[in-house]
């Protein structure tokens, strides 16, 4: 089984790697080589020519980089260890007993068990969550008060219990009906659930942040953004452009695309407008609109569904093996026992460690393609696209104290975007309008 899982992982990794290097143009290749050479010729965690921080800011960046790397793996390992301890110490079986004793109604049992489970899981991870928020406040990356932060945590907990509980009820219904093929049947059920989740994401975000139409207070910016829209022949009308009041909580800058169909939209954080120049905001929008044009939401959904199919299949076999070997000790006799949920989630967590580089590689490929698209989209709209892109990444990196030159392994294993120094260097060197070069997504003008 291990060899089969390894083969399947390689089947996922190879396409993800191919996507990362698909149809690389000569101009793109030259800029990638330039960026790689710049990173390799300077010390790790130090400044590079195209993304340099002041000494105090560099010290903060290096400290935060160390903490982020440590926390990433500590959180994953602690999640695995705590899940195993809950099983081995009989806590999961105790939760199951309390749920079964509460009522003969399976809906009440399921939701009560899931409530106990996520409550304990939240309490176990809470110290790390508190520390991360404390760190964000100390470094000025977060300005959200503790009351607001706790309120967001409570809302996230409630949504997890409500919608997660519904999914859990569906899962165990499928397990009881199709004990030998539940992994495939549940995956089929997951498809409309995933699509509904992507569609609903913009509306769920309204529970956590404030949004307004971008044209409400920034009509001149919308007029500029519409030039990017027209250039790419996109269907992004002004009523799909939104401003998020991120400054109520953070000082970092960002923008993103979300939703699909009637809910699809581009969101720009207000911090991006206050810290970036109009030309830089134009590139940020070009990047995000590139996700639209290049179909990244659709391909992201397909990729996620394929990963889930493999995850469910592995979970099915792993749960059967684990219960056959440890079920008596854990007091979890079968896969349709409520306690089997903890075994399944433990399997998913373990598998996610191996999936990290695959998912990160796939995401970085999308983000790099959007960088290329955004830089080409603003050509002719700003005086110097190369300088605009480099400066945009300098501003983005400084706002988060991003490491100019991170460890290569950590970038490969965990980064869902290329390192900020790599992006800045690429942007400076990428010139598809030079003699003998061609743009990747737009005709040469």
């Amino acid at each position: 089984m291990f060899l089969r899982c390894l083969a399947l992982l390689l089947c996922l990794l190879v396409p993800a790697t191919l996507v990362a290097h698909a149809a690389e143009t000569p101009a793109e290749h030259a800029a990638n080589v330039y960026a790689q050479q710049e990173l390799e010729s300077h010390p790790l965690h130090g400044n590079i020519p195209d993304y340099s921080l002041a000494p105090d800011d560099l010290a903060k960046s290096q400290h935060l980089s160390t903490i982020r790397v440590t926390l990433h793996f500590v959180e994953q390992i602690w999640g695995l260890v705590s899940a195993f301890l809950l099983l081995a110490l009989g806590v999961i079986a105790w939760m199951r007993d309390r749920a079964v004793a509460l009522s003969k109604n399976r809906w009440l049992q399921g939701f009560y068990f899931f409530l106990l489970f996520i409550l304990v899981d939240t309490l176990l991870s809470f110290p790390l969550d508190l520390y991360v928020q404390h760190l964000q406040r100390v470094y000025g990356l977060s300005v959200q008060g503790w009351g607001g932060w706790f309120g967001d945590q409570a809302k996230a907990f409630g949504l997890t219990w409500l919608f997660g509980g519904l999914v859990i009820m569906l899962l165990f219904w499928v397990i009881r009906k199709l004990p030998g093929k539940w992994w495939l049947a549940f995956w089929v059920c997951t498809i409309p659930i995933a699509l509904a989740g992507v569609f609903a994401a913009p509306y769920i975000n309204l529970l956590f942040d404030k949004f307004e139409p971008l044209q409400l207070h920034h009509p001149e910016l919308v007029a500029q953004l519409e030039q990017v829209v027209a250039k790419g022949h996109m269907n992004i009308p002004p009523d799909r452009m939104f401003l998020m009041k991120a400054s109520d909580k953070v000082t970092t800058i960002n923008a993103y695309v979300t939703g699909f169909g009637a809910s699809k939209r581009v969101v720009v954080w207000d911090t991006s407008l206050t810290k970036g120049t109009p030309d830089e905001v134009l590139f940020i929008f070009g990047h995000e609109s590139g996700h639209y044009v290049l179909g990244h939401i659709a391909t992201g959904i397909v990729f996620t569904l394929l990963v889930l199919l493999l995850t469910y299949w592995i979970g099915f076999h792993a749960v059967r093996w684990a219960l056959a070997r440890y079920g008596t000790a854990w007091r979890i006799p079968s896969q349709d026992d409520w306690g089997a949920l903890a075994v399944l989630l433990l399997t998913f967590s373990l598998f996610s460690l191996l999936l990290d580089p695959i998912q990160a590689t796939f995401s970085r490929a999308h983000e790099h393609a959007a960088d290329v698209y955004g830089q080409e989209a603003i050509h002719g709209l700003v005086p110097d696209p190369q300088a605009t892109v480099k400066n945009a990444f300098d501003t983005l990196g400084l706002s988060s104290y991003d490491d100019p030159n991170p460890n290569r392994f950590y970038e490969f294993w965990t980064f869902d975007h290329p390192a900020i120094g790599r992006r800045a260097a690429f942007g400076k060197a990428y010139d598809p309008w030079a003699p003998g070069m061609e743009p990747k997504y737009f005709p040469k003008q």
Side-chain angles (χ1 to χ4, degrees):
M1 178 176 173
F2 174 78
L3 293 177
R4 281 191 290 173
C5 291
L6 182 60
L8 287 169
L9 277 172
L10 290 174
C11 288
L12 283 174
L13 181 58
V14 170
T17 305
L18 291 176
V19 168
H21 300 283
E24 187 181 58
T25 64
E28 189 180 5
H29 176 74
N32 276 326
V33 170
Y34 170 86
Q36 183 66 26
Q37 290 176 343
E38 181 166 310
L39 292 174
E40 291 178 349
S41 61
H42 291 82
L44 289 176
H45 313 298
N47 282 327
I48 62 174
D50 292 317
Y51 173 50
S52 296
L53 300 174
D56 288 348
D57 293 332
L58 181 61
K60 293 177 181 178
S61 168
Q62 291 169 340
H63 184 227
L64 282 172
S65 178
T66 300
I67 293 175
R68 286 164 178 162
V69 171
T70 303
L71 281 177
H72 175 82
F73 293 106
V74 166
E75 287 175 344
Q76 289 188 323
I77 294 171
W78 173 237
L80 293 171
V81 170
S82 61
F84 181 80
L85 288 175
L86 290 176
L87 287 164
L89 296 175
V91 177
I92 297 298
W94 176 85
M95 294 179 189
R96 184 269 324 281
D97 292 343
R98 300 286 74 75
V100 172
L102 176 68
S103 172
K104 292 184 179 180
N105 184 290
R106 286 193 62 85
W107 281 86
L108 289 177
Q109 290 179 10
F111 270 88
Y112 186 58
F113 173 82
F114 190 55
L115 175 63
L116 293 175
F117 181 82
I118 62 174
L119 180 60
V120 170
D121 182 68
T122 299
L123 291 175
L124 288 172
S125 63
F126 204 56
L128 286 175
D129 294 337
L130 281 173
Y131 175 69
V132 170
Q133 175 61 9
H134 165 73
L135 196 68
Q136 298 279 335
R137 287 166 57 89
V138 167
Y139 278 89
L141 302 178
S142 172
V143 293
Q144 185 179 26
W146 283 108
W149 185 81
F150 277 106
D152 282 350
Q153 299 301 305
K155 285 185 280 188
F157 184 93
L159 289 170
T160 300
W161 183 46
L162 175 61
F163 293 108
L166 292 172
V167 173
I168 295 306
M169 294 304 300
L170 175 62
L171 169 64
F172 278 93
W173 180 82
V174 173
I175 289 175
R176 293 197 310 276
K177 296 296 183 181
L178 298 168
K181 294 290 184 182
W182 68 258
W183 60 273
L184 181 59
F186 185 64
W187 178 77
V188 173
C189 296
T190 298
I191 296 174
I193 293 174
L195 294 175
V198 174
F199 181 85
Y203 307 112
I204 294 174
N205 290 340
L206 294 173
L207 297 173
F208 296 91
D209 296 291
K210 298 176 182 177
F211 298 83
E212 64 180 35
L214 189 58
Q215 61 184 343
L216 185 63
H217 294 112
H218 302 278
E220 72 293 340
L221 177 60
V222 170
Q224 290 180 294
L225 300 182
E226 286 186 300
Q227 296 181 63
V228 178
V229 171
K231 189 172 181 180
H233 306 288
M234 294 176 280
N235 181 27
I236 309 178
D239 60 4
R240 297 287 184 93
M241 304 176 190
F242 287 85
L243 183 74
M244 188 181 106
K245 297 288 188 176
S247 58
D248 293 343
K249 298 180 180 180
V250 298
T251 60
T252 54
I253 67 177
N254 197 14
Y256 61 89
V257 294
T258 185
F260 75 90
S263 73
K264 188 165 65 173
R265 63 198 61 195
V266 174
V267 177
V268 179
W269 290 11
D270 62 344
T271 48
S272 300
L273 303 189
T274 57
K275 293 189 174 185
T277 66
D279 286 352
E280 290 168 11
V281 173
L282 207 62
F283 165 69
I284 293 172
F285 178 83
H287 169 101
E288 297 304 330
S289 61
H291 288 304
Y292 261 118
V293 176
L294 303 178
H296 288 167
I297 292 178
T299 55
I301 292 173
V302 171
F303 180 76
T304 299
L305 289 172
L306 291 175
V307 169
L308 285 176
L309 178 61
L310 177 58
T311 302
Y312 292 166
W313 179 80
I314 291 176
F316 166 72
H317 289 284
V319 167
R320 294 179 66 182
W321 174 84
L323 292 183
R325 184 160 184 173
Y326 302 107
T328 302
W330 293 342
R331 293 198 295 122
I332 302 174
S334 64
Q335 64 179 358
D336 62 351
D337 185 286
W338 294 119
L341 175 66
V343 185
L344 185 61
L345 293 180
L346 174 60
T347 301
F348 290 170
S349 297
L350 184 60
F351 186 50
S352 71
L353 290 175
L354 302 176
L355 280 177
D356 268 357
I358 297 171
Q359 294 173 317
T361 298
F362 185 82
S363 177
R364 286 196 306 272
H366 275 183
E367 297 302 332
H368 173 72
D371 284 347
V372 172
Y373 182 93
Q375 185 160 347
E376 293 182 1
I378 63 173
H379 179 69
L381 303 180
V382 301
D384 188 344
Q386 287 81 11
T388 295
V389 173
K390 175 193 171 300
N391 293 336
F393 286 128
D394 287 347
T395 303
L396 176 63
L398 177 59
S399 75
S400 302
Y401 297 121
D402 283 338
D403 189 342
N405 195 4
N407 178 276
R408 304 290 179 272
F409 172 79
Y410 184 63
E411 180 186 7
F412 162 75
W413 197 268
T414 68
F415 277 32
D416 55 10
H417 289 63
I420 202 73
R422 185 185 302 277
R423 299 172 81 184
F426 177 89
K428 176 184 175 180
Y430 184 58
D431 187 8
W433 305 279
M437 299 294 185
E438 293 290 335
K440 188 171 186 176
Y441 300 113
F442 292 87
K444 195 168 185 178
Q445 297 175 348

